[in-house]
Every structure is written in structure tokens, then in C-alpha cells.
mmCIF file of all heavy atoms in Angstrom:
data_model
loop_
_atom_site.group_PDB
_atom_site.id
_atom_site.type_symbol
_atom_site.label_atom_id
_atom_site.label_comp_id
_atom_site.label_asym_id
_atom_site.label_seq_id
_atom_site.Cartn_x
_atom_site.Cartn_y
_atom_site.Cartn_z
ATOM 1 N N TRP G 1 -1.457 -0.387 1.102
ATOM 2 C CA TRP G 1 -1.801 -0.725 2.494
ATOM 3 C C TRP G 1 -2.540 0.431 3.151
ATOM 4 O O TRP G 1 -3.500 0.240 3.896
ATOM 5 C CB TRP G 1 -0.554 -1.067 3.306
ATOM 6 C CG TRP G 1 -0.371 -2.527 3.527
ATOM 7 C CD1 TRP G 1 0.593 -3.328 2.999
ATOM 8 C CD2 TRP G 1 -1.186 -3.390 4.348
ATOM 9 N NE1 TRP G 1 0.423 -4.628 3.429
ATOM 10 C CE2 TRP G 1 -0.654 -4.687 4.257
ATOM 11 C CE3 TRP G 1 -2.310 -3.193 5.138
ATOM 12 C CZ2 TRP G 1 -1.204 -5.771 4.932
ATOM 13 C CZ3 TRP G 1 -2.860 -4.271 5.805
ATOM 14 C CH2 TRP G 1 -2.296 -5.549 5.699
ATOM 15 N N LEU G 2 -2.086 1.648 2.894
ATOM 16 C CA LEU G 2 -2.762 2.808 3.478
ATOM 17 C C LEU G 2 -4.193 2.896 2.964
ATOM 18 O O LEU G 2 -5.130 3.133 3.741
ATOM 19 C CB LEU G 2 -1.998 4.097 3.168
ATOM 20 C CG LEU G 2 -2.612 5.372 3.737
ATOM 21 C CD1 LEU G 2 -2.696 5.312 5.261
ATOM 22 C CD2 LEU G 2 -1.814 6.591 3.302
ATOM 23 N N ARG G 3 -4.365 2.683 1.673
ATOM 24 C CA ARG G 3 -5.722 2.710 1.103
ATOM 25 C C ARG G 3 -6.591 1.618 1.743
ATOM 26 O O ARG G 3 -7.736 1.877 2.122
ATOM 27 C CB ARG G 3 -5.637 2.524 -0.406
ATOM 28 C CG ARG G 3 -6.971 2.579 -1.083
ATOM 29 C CD ARG G 3 -6.835 2.479 -2.581
ATOM 30 N NE ARG G 3 -8.136 2.253 -3.165
ATOM 31 C CZ ARG G 3 -8.341 1.699 -4.334
ATOM 32 N NH1 ARG G 3 -7.318 1.335 -5.072
ATOM 33 N NH2 ARG G 3 -9.550 1.518 -4.782
ATOM 34 N N LEU G 4 -6.045 0.426 1.888
ATOM 35 C CA LEU G 4 -6.784 -0.674 2.503
ATOM 36 C C LEU G 4 -7.147 -0.341 3.951
ATOM 37 O O LEU G 4 -8.288 -0.537 4.382
ATOM 38 C CB LEU G 4 -5.978 -1.970 2.441
ATOM 39 C CG LEU G 4 -6.589 -3.183 3.163
ATOM 40 C CD1 LEU G 4 -7.878 -3.614 2.478
ATOM 41 C CD2 LEU G 4 -5.601 -4.324 3.210
ATOM 42 N N ALA G 5 -6.186 0.162 4.713
ATOM 43 C CA ALA G 5 -6.426 0.493 6.123
ATOM 44 C C ALA G 5 -7.505 1.560 6.259
ATOM 45 O O ALA G 5 -8.398 1.451 7.106
ATOM 46 C CB ALA G 5 -5.123 0.954 6.783
ATOM 47 N N MET G 6 -7.427 2.573 5.416
ATOM 48 C CA MET G 6 -8.420 3.656 5.475
ATOM 49 C C MET G 6 -9.811 3.131 5.121
ATOM 50 O O MET G 6 -10.793 3.481 5.786
ATOM 51 C CB MET G 6 -8.024 4.791 4.530
ATOM 52 C CG MET G 6 -6.725 5.480 4.902
ATOM 53 S SD MET G 6 -6.824 6.436 6.409
ATOM 54 C CE MET G 6 -7.552 7.926 5.802
ATOM 55 N N GLU G 7 -9.895 2.298 4.091
ATOM 56 C CA GLU G 7 -11.191 1.739 3.699
ATOM 57 C C GLU G 7 -11.731 0.823 4.787
ATOM 58 O O GLU G 7 -12.916 0.877 5.128
ATOM 59 C CB GLU G 7 -11.062 0.977 2.372
ATOM 60 C CG GLU G 7 -10.820 1.887 1.182
ATOM 61 C CD GLU G 7 -10.471 1.127 -0.087
ATOM 62 O OE1 GLU G 7 -10.024 -0.042 -0.021
ATOM 63 O OE2 GLU G 7 -10.647 1.713 -1.168
ATOM 64 N N TYR G 8 -10.885 -0.012 5.350
ATOM 65 C CA TYR G 8 -11.311 -0.953 6.386
ATOM 66 C C TYR G 8 -11.798 -0.224 7.635
ATOM 67 O O TYR G 8 -12.765 -0.627 8.269
ATOM 68 C CB TYR G 8 -10.167 -1.907 6.734
ATOM 69 C CG TYR G 8 -10.580 -2.945 7.737
ATOM 70 C CD1 TYR G 8 -11.259 -4.093 7.335
ATOM 71 C CD2 TYR G 8 -10.313 -2.775 9.090
ATOM 72 C CE1 TYR G 8 -11.661 -5.043 8.254
ATOM 73 C CE2 TYR G 8 -10.713 -3.719 10.024
ATOM 74 C CZ TYR G 8 -11.387 -4.856 9.596
ATOM 75 O OH TYR G 8 -11.787 -5.784 10.501
ATOM 76 N N ALA G 9 -11.121 0.855 7.970
ATOM 77 C CA ALA G 9 -11.472 1.612 9.175
ATOM 78 C C ALA G 9 -12.638 2.569 8.944
ATOM 79 O O ALA G 9 -12.990 3.340 9.843
ATOM 80 C CB ALA G 9 -10.245 2.378 9.675
ATOM 81 N N GLY G 10 -13.224 2.538 7.746
ATOM 82 C CA GLY G 10 -14.346 3.417 7.464
ATOM 83 C C GLY G 10 -13.937 4.850 7.196
ATOM 84 O O GLY G 10 -14.743 5.769 7.306
ATOM 85 N N ARG G 11 -12.686 5.050 6.860
ATOM 86 C CA ARG G 11 -12.181 6.393 6.588
ATOM 87 C C ARG G 11 -11.717 6.542 5.135
ATOM 88 O O ARG G 11 -10.924 7.418 4.816
ATOM 89 C CB ARG G 11 -11.040 6.729 7.540
ATOM 90 C CG ARG G 11 -11.471 6.688 8.997
ATOM 91 C CD ARG G 11 -10.356 7.191 9.879
ATOM 92 N NE ARG G 11 -10.725 7.251 11.261
ATOM 93 C CZ ARG G 11 -11.529 8.155 11.809
ATOM 94 N NH1 ARG G 11 -12.108 9.042 11.063
ATOM 95 N NH2 ARG G 11 -11.778 8.156 13.094
ATOM 96 N N GLY G 12 -12.178 5.656 4.275
ATOM 97 C CA GLY G 12 -11.786 5.681 2.873
ATOM 98 C C GLY G 12 -12.105 6.987 2.177
ATOM 99 O O GLY G 12 -11.404 7.393 1.257
ATOM 100 N N HIS G 13 -13.153 7.672 2.641
ATOM 101 C CA HIS G 13 -13.539 8.955 2.044
ATOM 102 C C HIS G 13 -12.462 10.023 2.223
ATOM 103 O O HIS G 13 -12.402 10.973 1.456
ATOM 104 C CB HIS G 13 -14.864 9.446 2.642
ATOM 105 C CG HIS G 13 -14.776 9.728 4.107
ATOM 106 N ND1 HIS G 13 -14.843 8.722 5.065
ATOM 107 C CD2 HIS G 13 -14.621 10.896 4.774
ATOM 108 C CE1 HIS G 13 -14.732 9.274 6.264
ATOM 109 N NE2 HIS G 13 -14.595 10.585 6.117
ATOM 110 N N LEU G 14 -11.594 9.853 3.226
ATOM 111 C CA LEU G 14 -10.517 10.823 3.451
ATOM 112 C C LEU G 14 -9.391 10.686 2.425
ATOM 113 O O LEU G 14 -8.637 11.624 2.203
ATOM 114 C CB LEU G 14 -9.938 10.656 4.859
ATOM 115 C CG LEU G 14 -10.902 10.937 6.012
ATOM 116 C CD1 LEU G 14 -10.240 10.620 7.342
ATOM 117 C CD2 LEU G 14 -11.375 12.377 5.962
ATOM 118 N N LEU G 15 -9.300 9.517 1.820
ATOM 119 C CA LEU G 15 -8.239 9.262 0.830
ATOM 120 C C LEU G 15 -8.844 9.433 -0.563
ATOM 121 O O LEU G 15 -9.131 8.473 -1.257
ATOM 122 C CB LEU G 15 -7.668 7.857 1.029
ATOM 123 C CG LEU G 15 -6.296 7.589 0.442
ATOM 124 C CD1 LEU G 15 -5.265 8.584 0.953
ATOM 125 C CD2 LEU G 15 -5.845 6.187 0.799
ATOM 126 N N THR G 16 -9.023 10.685 -0.956
ATOM 127 C CA THR G 16 -9.617 11.000 -2.259
ATOM 128 C C THR G 16 -8.651 10.612 -3.375
ATOM 129 O O THR G 16 -7.468 10.330 -3.126
ATOM 130 C CB THR G 16 -9.912 12.511 -2.353
ATOM 131 O OG1 THR G 16 -8.669 13.225 -2.262
ATOM 132 C CG2 THR G 16 -10.870 12.964 -1.261
ATOM 133 N N ARG G 17 -9.156 10.615 -4.590
ATOM 134 C CA ARG G 17 -8.284 10.305 -5.740
ATOM 135 C C ARG G 17 -7.113 11.273 -5.821
ATOM 136 O O ARG G 17 -6.006 10.891 -6.137
ATOM 137 C CB ARG G 17 -9.086 10.346 -7.042
ATOM 138 C CG ARG G 17 -9.991 9.174 -7.208
ATOM 139 C CD ARG G 17 -10.718 9.272 -8.529
ATOM 140 N NE ARG G 17 -11.706 8.210 -8.598
ATOM 141 C CZ ARG G 17 -11.849 7.415 -9.628
ATOM 142 N NH1 ARG G 17 -11.104 7.578 -10.686
ATOM 143 N NH2 ARG G 17 -12.751 6.476 -9.619
ATOM 144 N N ARG G 18 -7.382 12.518 -5.541
ATOM 145 C CA ARG G 18 -6.316 13.536 -5.585
ATOM 146 C C ARG G 18 -5.245 13.237 -4.529
ATOM 147 O O ARG G 18 -4.048 13.287 -4.811
ATOM 148 C CB ARG G 18 -6.907 14.927 -5.366
ATOM 149 C CG ARG G 18 -5.874 16.023 -5.487
ATOM 150 C CD ARG G 18 -6.551 17.398 -5.467
ATOM 151 N NE ARG G 18 -5.625 18.418 -5.882
ATOM 152 C CZ ARG G 18 -4.903 19.140 -5.034
ATOM 153 N NH1 ARG G 18 -5.021 18.959 -3.736
ATOM 154 N NH2 ARG G 18 -4.071 20.059 -5.489
ATOM 155 N N ARG G 19 -5.670 12.926 -3.319
ATOM 156 C CA ARG G 19 -4.716 12.618 -2.250
ATOM 157 C C ARG G 19 -3.940 11.332 -2.563
ATOM 158 O O ARG G 19 -2.747 11.245 -2.293
ATOM 159 C CB ARG G 19 -5.428 12.502 -0.907
ATOM 160 C CG ARG G 19 -5.890 13.833 -0.387
ATOM 161 C CD ARG G 19 -6.619 13.711 0.920
ATOM 162 N NE ARG G 19 -7.042 15.032 1.378
ATOM 163 C CZ ARG G 19 -8.027 15.230 2.204
ATOM 164 N NH1 ARG G 19 -8.706 14.216 2.702
ATOM 165 N NH2 ARG G 19 -8.349 16.458 2.563
ATOM 166 N N LEU G 20 -4.633 10.361 -3.114
ATOM 167 C CA LEU G 20 -3.970 9.117 -3.510
ATOM 168 C C LEU G 20 -2.944 9.389 -4.604
ATOM 169 O O LEU G 20 -1.839 8.836 -4.578
ATOM 170 C CB LEU G 20 -5.015 8.098 -3.963
ATOM 171 C CG LEU G 20 -4.570 6.654 -4.096
ATOM 172 C CD1 LEU G 20 -4.009 6.126 -2.785
ATOM 173 C CD2 LEU G 20 -5.731 5.791 -4.553
ATOM 174 N N ALA G 21 -3.288 10.251 -5.543
ATOM 175 C CA ALA G 21 -2.345 10.626 -6.602
ATOM 176 C C ALA G 21 -1.127 11.332 -6.012
ATOM 177 O O ALA G 21 0.018 11.053 -6.404
ATOM 178 C CB ALA G 21 -3.029 11.513 -7.635
ATOM 179 N N LEU G 22 -1.355 12.224 -5.061
ATOM 180 C CA LEU G 22 -0.234 12.919 -4.416
ATOM 181 C C LEU G 22 0.659 11.937 -3.645
ATOM 182 O O LEU G 22 1.889 12.048 -3.689
ATOM 183 C CB LEU G 22 -0.752 14.019 -3.479
ATOM 184 C CG LEU G 22 -1.359 15.237 -4.171
ATOM 185 C CD1 LEU G 22 -2.017 16.165 -3.149
ATOM 186 C CD2 LEU G 22 -0.314 15.989 -4.979
ATOM 187 N N LEU G 23 0.031 10.987 -2.959
ATOM 188 C CA LEU G 23 0.808 9.980 -2.228
ATOM 189 C C LEU G 23 1.596 9.076 -3.168
ATOM 190 O O LEU G 23 2.597 8.478 -2.769
ATOM 191 C CB LEU G 23 -0.119 9.118 -1.365
ATOM 192 C CG LEU G 23 -0.696 9.772 -0.125
ATOM 193 C CD1 LEU G 23 -1.788 8.892 0.483
ATOM 194 C CD2 LEU G 23 0.410 10.052 0.898
ATOM 195 N N SER G 24 1.175 8.980 -4.417
ATOM 196 C CA SER G 24 1.823 8.093 -5.389
ATOM 197 C C SER G 24 2.973 8.756 -6.135
ATOM 198 O O SER G 24 3.709 8.073 -6.857
ATOM 199 C CB SER G 24 0.789 7.593 -6.397
ATOM 200 O OG SER G 24 -0.220 6.873 -5.737
ATOM 201 N N ILE G 25 3.163 10.047 -5.977
ATOM 202 C CA ILE G 25 4.245 10.744 -6.690
ATOM 203 C C ILE G 25 5.605 10.189 -6.293
ATOM 204 O O ILE G 25 6.429 9.855 -7.160
ATOM 205 C CB ILE G 25 4.173 12.270 -6.450
ATOM 206 C CG1 ILE G 25 2.935 12.846 -7.131
ATOM 207 C CG2 ILE G 25 5.444 12.959 -6.948
ATOM 208 C CD1 ILE G 25 2.653 14.296 -6.786
ATOM 209 N N GLU G 26 5.869 10.082 -5.005
ATOM 210 C CA GLU G 26 7.182 9.593 -4.553
ATOM 211 C C GLU G 26 7.432 8.162 -5.027
ATOM 212 O O GLU G 26 8.510 7.873 -5.561
ATOM 213 C CB GLU G 26 7.297 9.712 -3.030
ATOM 214 C CG GLU G 26 8.700 9.488 -2.489
ATOM 215 C CD GLU G 26 9.084 8.019 -2.333
ATOM 216 O OE1 GLU G 26 8.200 7.145 -2.291
ATOM 217 O OE2 GLU G 26 10.289 7.736 -2.258
ATOM 218 N N PRO G 27 6.473 7.238 -4.887
ATOM 219 C CA PRO G 27 6.709 5.884 -5.394
ATOM 220 C C PRO G 27 6.952 5.835 -6.907
ATOM 221 O O PRO G 27 7.848 5.103 -7.369
ATOM 222 C CB PRO G 27 5.431 5.132 -5.021
ATOM 223 C CG PRO G 27 4.892 5.881 -3.849
ATOM 224 C CD PRO G 27 5.244 7.310 -4.107
ATOM 225 N N LEU G 28 6.193 6.606 -7.671
ATOM 226 C CA LEU G 28 6.396 6.611 -9.125
ATOM 227 C C LEU G 28 7.766 7.170 -9.488
ATOM 228 O O LEU G 28 8.452 6.643 -10.368
ATOM 229 C CB LEU G 28 5.293 7.416 -9.816
ATOM 230 C CG LEU G 28 3.911 6.775 -9.812
ATOM 231 C CD1 LEU G 28 2.860 7.739 -10.331
ATOM 232 C CD2 LEU G 28 3.910 5.485 -10.613
ATOM 233 N N LEU G 29 8.154 8.225 -8.809
ATOM 234 C CA LEU G 29 9.482 8.799 -9.034
ATOM 235 C C LEU G 29 10.569 7.785 -8.674
ATOM 236 O O LEU G 29 11.578 7.667 -9.374
ATOM 237 C CB LEU G 29 9.631 10.087 -8.215
ATOM 238 C CG LEU G 29 10.857 10.946 -8.494
ATOM 239 C CD1 LEU G 29 10.987 11.267 -9.966
ATOM 240 C CD2 LEU G 29 10.773 12.231 -7.688
ATOM 241 N N THR G 30 10.341 7.036 -7.603
ATOM 242 C CA THR G 30 11.306 6.017 -7.197
ATOM 243 C C THR G 30 11.459 4.949 -8.271
ATOM 244 O O THR G 30 12.587 4.536 -8.591
ATOM 245 C CB THR G 30 10.887 5.373 -5.860
ATOM 246 O OG1 THR G 30 10.837 6.391 -4.856
ATOM 247 C CG2 THR G 30 11.867 4.289 -5.422
ATOM 248 N N VAL G 31 10.368 4.510 -8.856
ATOM 249 C CA VAL G 31 10.445 3.504 -9.924
ATOM 250 C C VAL G 31 11.249 4.040 -11.105
ATOM 251 O O VAL G 31 12.108 3.336 -11.662
ATOM 252 C CB VAL G 31 9.034 3.050 -10.368
ATOM 253 C CG1 VAL G 31 9.088 2.212 -11.633
ATOM 254 C CG2 VAL G 31 8.361 2.265 -9.248
ATOM 255 N N VAL G 32 11.007 5.288 -11.484
ATOM 256 C CA VAL G 32 11.774 5.895 -12.578
ATOM 257 C C VAL G 32 13.257 5.938 -12.220
ATOM 258 O O VAL G 32 14.124 5.599 -13.037
ATOM 259 C CB VAL G 32 11.244 7.311 -12.910
ATOM 260 C CG1 VAL G 32 12.171 8.047 -13.861
ATOM 261 C CG2 VAL G 32 9.842 7.231 -13.487
ATOM 262 N N LEU G 33 13.564 6.334 -10.988
ATOM 263 C CA LEU G 33 14.964 6.422 -10.556
ATOM 264 C C LEU G 33 15.630 5.045 -10.502
ATOM 265 O O LEU G 33 16.820 4.925 -10.798
ATOM 266 C CB LEU G 33 15.064 7.120 -9.200
ATOM 267 C CG LEU G 33 14.719 8.611 -9.216
ATOM 268 C CD1 LEU G 33 14.698 9.168 -7.789
ATOM 269 C CD2 LEU G 33 15.684 9.388 -10.086
ATOM 270 N N VAL G 34 14.872 4.013 -10.146
ATOM 271 C CA VAL G 34 15.426 2.657 -10.108
ATOM 272 C C VAL G 34 15.835 2.223 -11.512
ATOM 273 O O VAL G 34 16.929 1.691 -11.719
ATOM 274 C CB VAL G 34 14.401 1.667 -9.504
ATOM 275 C CG1 VAL G 34 14.745 0.233 -9.839
ATOM 276 C CG2 VAL G 34 14.341 1.845 -8.004
ATOM 277 N N TRP G 35 14.950 2.441 -12.484
ATOM 278 C CA TRP G 35 15.230 1.981 -13.850
ATOM 279 C C TRP G 35 16.260 2.843 -14.564
ATOM 280 O O TRP G 35 16.809 2.422 -15.588
ATOM 281 C CB TRP G 35 13.937 1.881 -14.648
ATOM 282 C CG TRP G 35 13.114 0.722 -14.188
ATOM 283 C CD1 TRP G 35 12.088 0.748 -13.282
ATOM 284 C CD2 TRP G 35 13.264 -0.656 -14.559
ATOM 285 N NE1 TRP G 35 11.597 -0.518 -13.082
ATOM 286 C CE2 TRP G 35 12.292 -1.401 -13.861
ATOM 287 C CE3 TRP G 35 14.124 -1.330 -15.424
ATOM 288 C CZ2 TRP G 35 12.157 -2.775 -13.983
ATOM 289 C CZ3 TRP G 35 13.982 -2.699 -15.564
ATOM 290 C CH2 TRP G 35 13.013 -3.409 -14.841
#
């Protein structure tokens, strides 16, 4: 949703691959912890 909102608002350039990867650490860790 954050990626979509940033792209829609014309701010997609602020969400670089590196920043997206950093934002994904907590969710990925959560999936590991769930399983």
C-alpha cells in the first residue's frame, strides 16, 4: 500500500529499492516468526 500510495502521489522515486528492502525486513521476519 505504501508503494502504491507513493507511486500514485508522484513520489515513487522516494521509495528506492533499498528503502523498500529495508521496509520489508520486519514483515519478512514476522513471516519467519509465524511459521
